[in-house]
C-alpha cells in the first residue's frame, strides 16, 4: 500500500504522524490547552472533535489531486476512489453539521430566529479568515502575472471575493485560483445560502400554515441545478428532528457504538464510485447521527488533540490548498514533482501538513479567536438583557 503514489496506506501513516505532531504541538501551546479546558463538555462534544479530521481528509484528497495535476497539468476531481470519497464525505458531514446545529437552534426557539444576530455572528466567524486567505490567493496571482494587470477585470474579480464566498470566484486577472487554494471556497456559497434562507425556513416551525408558506423556498432549493448539494442540508434538518424526538439512545454510550460510523463510512465507499449521491446521503445520515448521539471512535473524538484540530479546522480548510501549492511549486522549481518517488512525494505532503497545522494555530489565535470572543460577548450581553426584561 506504500509502493505507489495513491495507496491508502499513505493516508493512515501521514494522518497518524500529523496527529502525533499535533499532540506534541498542543503541549507547547498553553492558549489552546486553556481554551479546550474551558469548552463545554457533553452535548455534541464529538462533533467538535470530528471537524478537524474532516478538514484533514479534504487536505489528503487535494494532496492526491495535486499529484495528478503535476502529471497532467489539468486540475480535476481526483480519479482515485478512496481519496475522492475522503473529501466528498467530509463535505457532506460538514454541511450536515451546519444544518443540524442551526436547525436545532431554530427548533429550540420555536422558529423565532433573530436574523440580524445570526448574520452578524456568521459574518464575524467566517469573514476575517476567508478574507485573509483570499488576500494570499490574490497576492500569489499578482506575483505570478509579474504585476501585469488587467485593471478592470482584476477589480471585478477582487470585488467578487468580497461576497465572502457567496459568489465563487474562479479566476483573478485571467489566472485560475483553483490550483492555488484547491477551489475549496465553493462550499461557502452553499453555507451562506443556507444561512440566508434559514430564518425563512424556520418560520415553518411556528405553525402548519407557516409550513406551507416556506415550502416553495425548500422546493426551489431542491429543484435547482445544485439540488444534490442542497439536499445534504435537508438531511441535517432531518437529523435535528430525529434528535429532538429521540434525544438519547443508550447504545451510543457504549464503546462498541463507534463501529457504527466506521461501518457506515466503509459502506459509503463500496456503494458508489462518485460521492454526492442520495444513497450516500442516507448512509451518511446514520453516520452523522451516531456522532451526534455520542459515538466517539473509541474515545478519539473526545481527546484534547481532536478538539485542538477541531478548533483550527476552518483555518486548515481555507489554507491547506495554499500551503500545498506553495510547498509543491517551490520544490518543482528546483526538481520536477512528477519525477519524485512515492516516499519523496508523501514526505512533502507530511511537511505541508505540519506547516498547515502550525500556521492554522496562529491564524486561529490571532485572526479567528478575537472575533469569536466578540460573538460570545454579544451572546452573553443578549442573555443578560433577556433576563433583565423578564425581571422588569
Amino acid at each position: 500500500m506504500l509502493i505507489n503514489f495513491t495507496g491508502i496506506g499513505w493516508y493512515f501513516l501521514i494522518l497518524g504522524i500529523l496527529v502525533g505532531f499535533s499532540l506534541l504541538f498542543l503541549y507547547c501551546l498553553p492558549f489552546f490547552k486553556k481554551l479546550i479546558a474551558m469548552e463545554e463538555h457533553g452535548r455534541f462534544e464529538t462533533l467538535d472533535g470530528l471537524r478537524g479530521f474532516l478538514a484533514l481528509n479534504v487536505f489528503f484528497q487535494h494532496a492526491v489531486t495535486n499529484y495528478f495535476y503535476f502529471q497532467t497539468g489539468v486540475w480535476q476531481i481526483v480519479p482515485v476512489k478512496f481519496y475522492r470519497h475522503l473529501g466528498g464525505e467530509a463535505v457532506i458531514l460538514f454541511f450536515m453539521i451546519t444544518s443540524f446545529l442551526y436547525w436545532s437552534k431554530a427548533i429550540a426557539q420555536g422558529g423565532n430566529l433573530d436574523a440580524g444576530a445570526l448574520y452578524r455572528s456568521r459574518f464575524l466567524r467566517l469573514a476575517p479568515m476567508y478574507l485573509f486567505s483570499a488576500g494570499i490567493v490574490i497576492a500569489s496571482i499578482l506575483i505570478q502575472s509579474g504585476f501585469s494587470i488587467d485593471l478592470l477585470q482584476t477589480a471585478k474579480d477582487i470585488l467578487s471575493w468580497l461576497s465572502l464566498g457567496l459568489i465563487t470566484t474562479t479566476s483573478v486577472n485571467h489566472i485560475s485560483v483553483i490550483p492555488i487554494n484547491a477551489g475549496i471556497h465553493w462550499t461557502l456559497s452553499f453555507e451562506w445560502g443556507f444561512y440566508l434562507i434559514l430564518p425563512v425556513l424556520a418560520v415553518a416551525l411556528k405553525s402548519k400554515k407557516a409550513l406551507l408558506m416556506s415550502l416553495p423556498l425548500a422546493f426551489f432549493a431542491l429543484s435547482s441545478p445544485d439540488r444534490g448539494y442542497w439536499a445534504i442540508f435537508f438531511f441535517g434538518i432531518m437529523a435535528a428532528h430525529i434528535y429532538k424526538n429521540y434525544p438519547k439512545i443508550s447504545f451510543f454510550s457504549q464503546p462498541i457504538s463507534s463501529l457504527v460510523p466506521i461501518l457506515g463510512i466503509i459502506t459509503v465507499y463500496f456503494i458508489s464510485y462518485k460521492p454526492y449521491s442520495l444513497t450516500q446521503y442516507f448512509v451518511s445520515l446514520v453516520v452523522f447521527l451516531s456522532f451526534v448521539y455520542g459515538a466517539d471512535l473509541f474515545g478519539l473524538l473526545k481527546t484534547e488533540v481532536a478538539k485542538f484540530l477541531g478548533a483550527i479546522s476552518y483555518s486548515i480548510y481555507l489554507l491547506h490548498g495554499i500551503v500545498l501549492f506553495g510547498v509543491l511549486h517551490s520544490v518543482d522549481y528546483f526538481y520536477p514533482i512528477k519525477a519524485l518517488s512515492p516516499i519523496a512525494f508523501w514526505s512533502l505532503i507530511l511537511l505541508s501538513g505540519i506547516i498547515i497545522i502550525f500556521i492554522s494555530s496562529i491564524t486561529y489565535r490571532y485572526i479567528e479567536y478575537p472575533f469569536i470572543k466578540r460573538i460570545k460577548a454579544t451572546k452573553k450581553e443578549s442573555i443578560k438583557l433577556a433576563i433583565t426584561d423578564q425581571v422588569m
Side-chain angles (χ1 to χ4, degrees):
M1 289 192 294
L2 297 178
I3 297 174
N4 59 46
F5 282 93
T6 58
I8 65 174
W10 290 113
Y11 165 75
F12 291 103
L13 175 62
I14 303 299
L15 178 62
I17 296 173
L18 290 178
V19 170
F21 166 78
S22 299
L23 185 60
L24 291 173
F25 193 50
L26 176 60
Y27 282 103
C28 300
L29 300 173
F31 166 80
F32 282 99
K33 288 188 69 67
K34 183 179 178 181
L35 180 73
I36 292 167
M38 291 171 59
E39 289 296 320
E40 183 180 352
H41 295 277
R43 197 178 187 213
F44 311 141
E45 185 181 359
T46 50
L47 297 185
D48 293 331
L50 178 64
R51 287 188 177 96
F53 289 102
L54 296 182
L56 286 176
N57 282 356
V58 177
F59 158 70
F60 278 102
Q61 182 199 14
H62 290 142
V64 175
T65 302
N66 267 282
Y67 166 73
F68 286 100
Y69 174 69
F70 278 97
Q71 299 296 318
T72 65
V74 178
W75 186 276
Q76 57 187 350
I77 297 174
V78 59
V80 181
K81 185 177 179 181
F82 176 79
Y83 289 98
R84 176 181 292 206
H85 272 281
L86 272 185
E89 185 66 18
V91 170
I92 289 169
L93 292 176
F94 268 133
F95 283 175
M96 284 189 180
I97 288 173
T98 294
S99 54
F100 170 80
L101 292 177
Y102 280 89
W103 195 255
S104 294
K105 289 183 180 180
I107 292 173
Q109 296 173 18
N112 295 304
L113 283 178
D114 184 339
L118 170 67
Y119 299 145
R120 181 180 183 277
S121 70
R122 291 298 81 199
F123 175 83
L124 291 175
R125 183 66 188 93
L126 300 178
M129 190 60 215
Y130 173 82
L131 292 174
F132 176 77
S133 66
I136 297 175
V137 172
I138 293 169
S140 172
I141 285 177
L142 294 180
I143 293 170
Q144 288 180 62
S145 62
F147 293 94
S148 176
I149 302 170
D150 181 338
L151 287 176
L152 182 59
Q153 184 60 49
T154 302
K156 289 180 180 178
D157 295 334
I158 292 175
L159 284 174
S160 71
W161 280 104
L162 297 180
S163 70
L164 305 179
L166 194 58
I167 299 172
T168 302
T169 308
T170 57
S171 64
V172 174
N173 196 31
H174 307 292
I175 296 176
S176 175
V177 305
I178 309 302
I180 300 173
N181 73 343
I184 47 80
H185 54 299
W186 72 269
T187 60
L188 286 174
S189 65
F190 290 96
E191 292 269 352
W192 279 115
F194 175 74
Y195 295 135
L196 289 174
I197 68 174
L198 179 58
V200 181
L201 282 179
V203 172
L205 295 167
K206 294 182 178 181
S207 66
K208 290 182 179 179
K209 184 184 290 187
L211 172 62
L212 292 174
M213 292 173 60
S214 65
L215 282 178
L217 187 58
F219 177 78
F220 173 77
L222 293 177
S223 62
S224 72
D226 295 318
R227 58 185 174 275
Y229 299 118
W230 286 116
I232 303 170
F233 290 94
F234 285 93
F235 274 88
I237 288 173
M238 192 189 309
H241 283 286
I242 292 172
Y243 183 80
K244 179 182 181 296
N245 292 319
Y246 306 96
K248 188 175 182 180
I249 298 178
S250 58
F251 169 74
F252 287 99
S253 63
Q254 304 174 44
I256 196 173
S257 66
S258 291
L259 290 176
V260 174
I262 293 172
L263 292 174
I265 295 297
I266 293 173
T267 301
V268 162
Y269 176 78
F270 283 107
I271 61 175
S272 61
Y273 177 70
K274 294 182 179 180
Y276 308 116
S277 67
L278 196 60
T279 307
Q280 182 179 5
Y281 297 163
F282 277 106
V283 178
S284 297
L285 176 62
V286 175
V287 171
F288 177 71
L289 280 170
S290 66
F291 289 128
V292 168
Y293 282 113
D296 56 13
L297 299 183
F298 300 104
L300 174 63
L301 299 184
K302 291 184 179 180
T303 59
E304 286 186 339
V305 68
K307 292 177 182 179
F308 164 66
L309 291 170
I312 65 174
S313 60
Y314 185 49
S315 283
I316 290 175
Y317 185 73
L318 288 178
L319 296 177
H320 75 268
I322 296 171
V323 173
L324 282 169
F325 178 86
V327 170
L328 296 178
H329 279 78
S330 295
V331 172
D332 190 62
Y333 182 81
F334 297 99
Y335 188 86
I337 292 293
K338 62 182 180 181
L340 293 176
S341 67
I343 292 177
F345 175 77
W346 281 101
S347 295
L348 289 178
I349 300 306
L350 173 60
L351 174 64
S352 300
I354 290 172
I355 293 172
I356 290 163
I357 291 169
F358 176 74
I359 294 176
S360 294
S361 67
I362 296 173
T363 54
Y364 177 86
R365 174 65 181 89
Y366 295 104
I367 297 177
E368 294 185 63
Y369 184 67
F371 291 95
I372 293 173
K373 281 178 64 177
R374 290 179 61 180
I375 295 170
K376 290 182 177 180
T378 301
K379 287 180 179 178
K380 287 180 181 179
E381 188 62 32
S382 299
I383 292 171
K384 288 179 181 178
L385 288 173
I387 292 174
T388 302
D389 289 341
Q390 290 175 8
V391 174
M392 294 178 67

